[in-house]
Amino acid sequence: MPTPVYPDLAPITRHLRAMYQSRLLIAAVHHLRVFDILAEAPHSPCDLQARLELRGRPAMVLFPALCAMGMLAYDASGKLQLTELGRHLVRSHQPMLADYLGLESQDPGVLEMVERLRNDGPVSTEEGIAYVKEGAGPSPMDEPEVARTLTLALAGRAQTLAPLVARHLPGGRRHLLDVAGGTGFFTYEWLLLHPEATATVFDRPAVLAVAAEVLERFGRSDRPGAATVRERVQLLPGDMLTDDLPETDLLLAASLFHDWPTETCRHLARRFAGTLRPGGSLWVHDAFLNDTLDGPLAVTDYSAQLFWVTKGRAYSRREYRSWFQEAGLKPSPEAIPTQMDYGLIWARKPR
Amino acid sequence: MPTPVYPDLAPITRHLRAMYQSRLLIAAVHHLRVFDILAEAPHSPCDLQARLELRGRPAMVLFPALCAMGMLAYDASGKLQLTELGRHLVRSHQPMLADYLGLESQDPGVLEMVERLRNDGPVSTEEGIAYVKEGAGPSPMDEPEVARTLTLALAGRAQTLAPLVARHLPGGRRHLLDVAGGTGFFTYEWLLLHPEATATVFDRPAVLAVAAEVLERFGRSDRPGAATVRERVQLLPGDMLTDDLPETDLLLAASLFHDWPTETCRHLARRFAGTLRPGGSLWVHDAFLNDTLDGPLAVTDYSAQLFWVTKGRAYSRREYRSWFQEAGLKPSPEAIPTQMDYGLIWARKPR
């Protein structure tokens, strides 16, 4: 059985997340009055954020989304202005569709989005900030049942994307550290391609219980070399924010940074850079906003979903590169698109 | 001031309604198990509807939407089958994203969609079936405040599309009956183009109170001939389902049929045909499903929104043509796209 090739499943996740564009648009028109404010004058993103009394994260979820929908655009001086379409969402404009959108303004998803935008997350954290552990508090990912459900829910995406990602990582006699590796699919596919390589999958203990089952099945598959994969991988439990990380040649952060606020991302980039051997490289597989922070729509939808369920959002490659540089790494200017609106970027640690 | 030309505002309504595609997809995967059922074997739409225990209207909202999203397709024998993408939503498939979509399965909008699909509308009709009057019961459109809010909410769309539609209707010394005409924008724009024409705007009395204000403003505008429009239009209150309709050369049904179930649509087509003079024509301005009932996505989203708030859905041109023929009219095979994913079709009454 050769390396599997799957069709790009992006349409599935795009339709799944399309509801977030509706929520953001209706919230902006009817509750935050973004269009009425910009009808007065273009605003810098900073000024608009202040005027709306938003924090940075919700602003960086909302503004790129409204640009991706074609309702706002940056003018030559970098200010956000209304597009011709966007003007038709201003209450004083004739004709306007603001009141037509208002018919959906009391939709529960819209109201919840408004609350989360204003509060930079859910008002009650109990049902909100999911799936990320920070500090000494308990993590939902330490509840065996929750960890199992979420890890398996994410397994299909990892399984689909892993063969594509594995092909682009360097091979040979290297060690890969797959941080927050979940099921470990990325690691197993990579080890299969490189018979001399070794790897560590690092995650919470309850997640690694699932990874061990997936690894067991992977090792028993009839793909050539699958049996040796089990012997070359270590499942290492820990807290990536505080625990020592093992030295490595390659570090993979797949769907990782997007769960965290920028300060944590910078902290993680420094930790990851610190554990790389000289000449080693940090690889990020994620969905990236345009560097111009105006789309693409599939990623602004995803960013809104991440905003809803985690402490993070989607970031641009430029944002990643700045964290890498701060951490002493040399970012590659390249970006490799994979599937499902994801791509790969990387940065090297000088020798 | 010449006839105004507006950009196509379709992106606004597409982003507004995109949430309905998410709700339908998640409902189909996680609650109705459409994909697991079709993994057993392709089903005719009828058989699938029976298997899902759905009535005709929700089935004709859901199936075209899943086709438009690329998850289902008709096979050569007219049965619904999974596409390659759709197979990745089957629980037993490897890899699959069904569980990933399951993370959103308890979203309130999804749960409400499931209930409405199963019930062919909201369980409590008090907050549901809006804006349509049928039988002797009261209509929300007879509450002055509700009628005013809804009529004005729909005004922007009518104002944008009216100049485009007016250009395509025949002119001369004809009379136009604009049924459920709302603000009356379609009529006023048409009268402005044809100085010898006359018209009747027919709607509920509370709606016509708003139409009178709009007409007053229209008549006072500086567009050439606007002043004579007021003298050539009659605002006629009534119930289109039961009251006598005035004889006419042209009858316009703009965004009308989509509020009603098919039986009412057939009844309306017969009534409209009956009030046309020989040689006259019935014009429908609406959003149409493909005759193959597999999209387009903008219209399947709209159909879900209509399903949510009215007793209707979007229909295909073929469905309209069958009602026209039953009513003794000769449908034109042509269709004229306008804007906002709408188009114009018409049928002539033999002389």
Side-chain angles (χ1 to χ4, degrees):
Chain A
M1 184 178 157
T3 302
V5 177
Y6 305 111
D8 190 345
L9 305 185
I12 296 177
T13 44
R14 287 180 195 171
H15 294 302
L16 165 68
R17 298 171 186 145
M19 60 182 166
Y20 290 102
Q21 67 195 243
S22 306
R23 289 172 178 173
L24 289 174
L25 182 61
I26 300 163
V29 170
H30 205 84
H31 296 274
L32 302 176
R33 307 268 168 152
V34 171
F35 294 85
D36 299 329
I37 290 169
L38 290 178
E40 299 164 14
H43 281 58
S44 72
C46 231
D47 288 348
L48 185 60
Q49 181 188 323
R51 175 77 184 267
L52 295 170
E53 298 178 30
L54 294 181
R55 288 202 240 168
R57 187 173 75 123
M60 281 304 101
V61 168
L62 180 63
F63 302 165
L66 296 175
C67 291
M69 289 186 245
M71 307 302 153
L72 304 186
Y74 287 93
D75 69 11
S77 68
K79 289 183 175 173
L80 283 163
Q81 63 180 356
L82 300 173
T83 60
E84 191 178 359
L85 270 176
R87 277 195 287 277
H88 290 271
L89 292 171
V90 175
R91 264 174 191 67
S92 57
H93 195 84
Q94 283 291 323
M96 60 82 178
L97 295 185
D99 287 348
Y100 186 69
L101 269 67
L103 296 175
E104 300 277 1
S105 67
Q106 301 308 303
D107 175 88
V110 170
L111 294 177
E112 181 69 27
M113 178 60 88
V114 172
E115 185 175 289
R116 286 173 188 235
L117 287 170
R118 289 196 168 131
N119 188 59
D120 190 12
V123 170
S124 155
T125 50
E126 269 175 44
E127 31 124 2
I129 305 294
Y131 313 130
V132 290
K133 171 167 168 56
E134 194 165 28
S139 161
M141 291 309 271
D142 293 335
E143 297 281 339
E145 272 317 298
V146 175
R148 185 172 192 83
T149 302
L150 184 74
T151 304
L152 289 174
L154 298 175
R157 185 176 65 182
Q159 193 179 353
T160 311
L161 296 170
L164 271 176
V165 170
R167 239 175 284 157
H168 291 290
L169 301 188
R173 209 186 190 76
R174 287 188 170 89
H175 187 82
L176 169 70
L177 172 61
D178 185 356
V179 182
T183 47
F185 271 117
F186 292 96
T187 290
Y188 313 151
E189 289 288 343
W190 180 77
L191 288 173
L192 203 60
L193 292 179
H194 304 291
E196 296 190 300
T198 55
T200 302
V201 178
F202 187 98
D203 212 317
R204 304 299 302 157
V207 174
L208 293 181
V210 182
E213 295 168 25
V214 173
L215 176 58
E216 173 70 24
R217 266 199 307 282
F218 193 95
R220 278 190 277 104
S221 80
D222 54 3
R223 295 171 64 189
T228 77
V229 167
R230 266 197 289 173
E231 299 151 21
R232 293 183 283 133
V233 63
Q234 185 201 4
L235 305 182
L236 180 65
D239 182 336
M240 67 177 178
L241 295 171
T242 51
D243 289 348
D244 279 348
L245 298 170
E247 257 197 4
T248 189
D249 302 303
L250 305 175
L251 191 150
L252 175 63
S255 299
L256 184 156
F257 284 95
H258 69 212
D259 286 348
W260 301 95
T262 48
E263 268 320 296
T264 311
C265 291
R266 298 160 85 141
H267 172 68
L268 285 168
R270 283 191 301 267
R271 301 203 94 223
F272 295 168
T275 207
L276 282 176
R277 296 190 182 117
S281 51
L282 166 59
W283 292 75
V284 170
H285 188 240
D286 219 308
F288 304 110
L289 290 180
N290 298 336
D291 284 350
T292 42
L293 299 175
D294 54 2
L297 183 64
V299 179
T300 59
D301 281 350
Y302 190 17
S303 191
Q305 185 190 29
L306 292 166
F307 169 71
W308 195 279
V309 297
T310 76
K311 297 181 184 177
R313 61 168 171 91
Y315 296 104
S316 72
R317 296 177 194 87
R318 183 195 298 236
E319 291 177 286
Y320 281 95
R321 285 195 298 264
S322 76
W323 307 329
F324 297 162
Q325 274 167 333
E326 266 180 36
L329 302 175
K330 290 217 178 312
S332 160
E334 277 181 86
I336 304 168
T338 56
Q339 284 187 347
M340 294 176 75
D341 302 303
Y342 267 66
L344 260 178
I345 57 172
W346 69 98
R348 198 166 298 280
K349 182 164 177 172
R351 284 184 196 276
Chain B
M1 185 178 157
T3 303
V5 178
Y6 306 110
D8 190 346
L9 305 186
I12 294 177
T13 45
R14 287 180 193 169
H15 294 302
L16 165 68
R17 297 171 186 145
M19 59 182 166
Y20 290 103
Q21 68 195 242
S22 305
R23 289 173 178 173
L24 289 173
L25 182 62
I26 300 163
V29 170
H30 205 85
H31 298 273
L32 302 176
R33 306 267 171 156
V34 171
F35 294 85
D36 299 330
I37 291 170
L38 290 178
E40 298 165 14
H43 281 57
S44 72
C46 232
D47 289 348
L48 185 60
Q49 182 189 323
R51 175 77 184 269
L52 296 170
E53 298 178 30
L54 294 181
R55 288 202 242 167
R57 186 174 74 123
M60 281 304 101
V61 168
L62 180 63
F63 302 165
L66 295 175
C67 292
M69 288 186 248
M71 307 300 155
L72 304 185
Y74 288 94
D75 70 11
S77 68
K79 289 183 174 174
L80 282 163
Q81 63 180 356
L82 300 174
T83 60
E84 192 178 359
L85 270 176
R87 278 196 287 277
H88 290 272
L89 292 170
V90 175
R91 264 176 191 63
S92 58
H93 194 85
Q94 284 290 324
M96 60 80 179
L97 296 185
D99 288 348
Y100 185 69
L101 268 66
L103 296 176
E104 300 276 2
S105 66
Q106 301 308 302
D107 174 87
V110 170
L111 295 177
E112 181 70 26
M113 178 60 88
V114 172
E115 185 176 290
R116 286 172 188 236
L117 287 170
R118 290 196 166 129
N119 189 59
D120 190 12
V123 170
S124 155
T125 50
E126 270 176 44
E127 32 126 0
I129 305 293
Y131 314 129
V132 291
K133 171 165 169 58
E134 194 165 27
S139 162
M141 290 310 271
D142 292 337
E143 298 281 340
E145 271 317 298
V146 174
R148 184 171 192 85
T149 301
L150 184 73
T151 304
L152 289 174
L154 298 174
R157 186 175 65 183
Q159 192 179 354
T160 311
L161 296 170
L164 272 175
V165 170
R167 238 175 284 158
H168 291 291
L169 301 188
R173 208 184 191 79
R174 288 187 169 88
H175 186 83
L176 169 69
L177 173 61
D178 185 357
V179 182
T183 46
F185 272 117
F186 292 96
T187 290
Y188 314 150
E189 289 287 344
W190 181 76
L191 287 174
L192 203 59
L193 292 179
H194 304 292
E196 295 190 302
T198 55
T200 303
V201 178
F202 187 98
D203 212 317
R204 305 298 303 155
V207 174
L208 293 182
V210 182
E213 294 168 25
V214 173
L215 175 58
E216 173 70 24
R217 264 200 307 282
F218 194 94
R220 277 191 277 104
S221 79
D222 53 3
R223 295 171 63 190
T228 78
V229 167
R230 267 195 289 174
E231 299 150 22
R232 293 182 286 134
V233 63
Q234 184 200 4
L235 306 182
L236 181 66
D239 182 336
M240 67 177 179
L241 296 171
T242 52
D243 290 348
D244 279 348
L245 298 170
E247 256 197 5
T248 189
D249 304 302
L250 305 174
L251 191 150
L252 175 63
S255 299
L256 184 157
F257 284 94
H258 68 213
D259 286 348
W260 301 95
T262 49
E263 269 319 296
T264 311
C265 291
R266 298 160 85 141
H267 172 68
L268 285 168
R270 283 191 301 269
R271 301 203 94 225
F272 295 167
T275 206
L276 281 176
R277 297 191 181 117
S281 52
L282 166 60
W283 292 75
V284 170
H285 188 239
D286 219 309
F288 304 111
L289 290 179
N290 299 335
D291 284 351
T292 43
L293 299 175
D294 54 1
L297 183 64
V299 179
T300 59
D301 281 350
Y302 190 18
S303 190
Q305 186 189 30
L306 292 167
F307 169 71
W308 195 280
V309 297
T310 76
K311 297 180 183 178
R313 62 169 172 91
Y315 297 104
S316 71
R317 296 178 195 85
R318 182 194 299 235
E319 291 176 287
Y320 280 95
R321 285 193 297 264
S322 76
W323 307 329
F324 297 163
Q325 273 166 334
E326 267 180 37
L329 302 176
K330 291 218 177 309
S332 160
E334 278 181 84
I336 304 168
T338 55
Q339 285 187 345
M340 293 176 76
D341 301 303
Y342 268 66
L344 260 178
I345 57 173
W346 70 99
R348 197 165 299 281
K349 182 165 179 171
R351 283 184 197 277

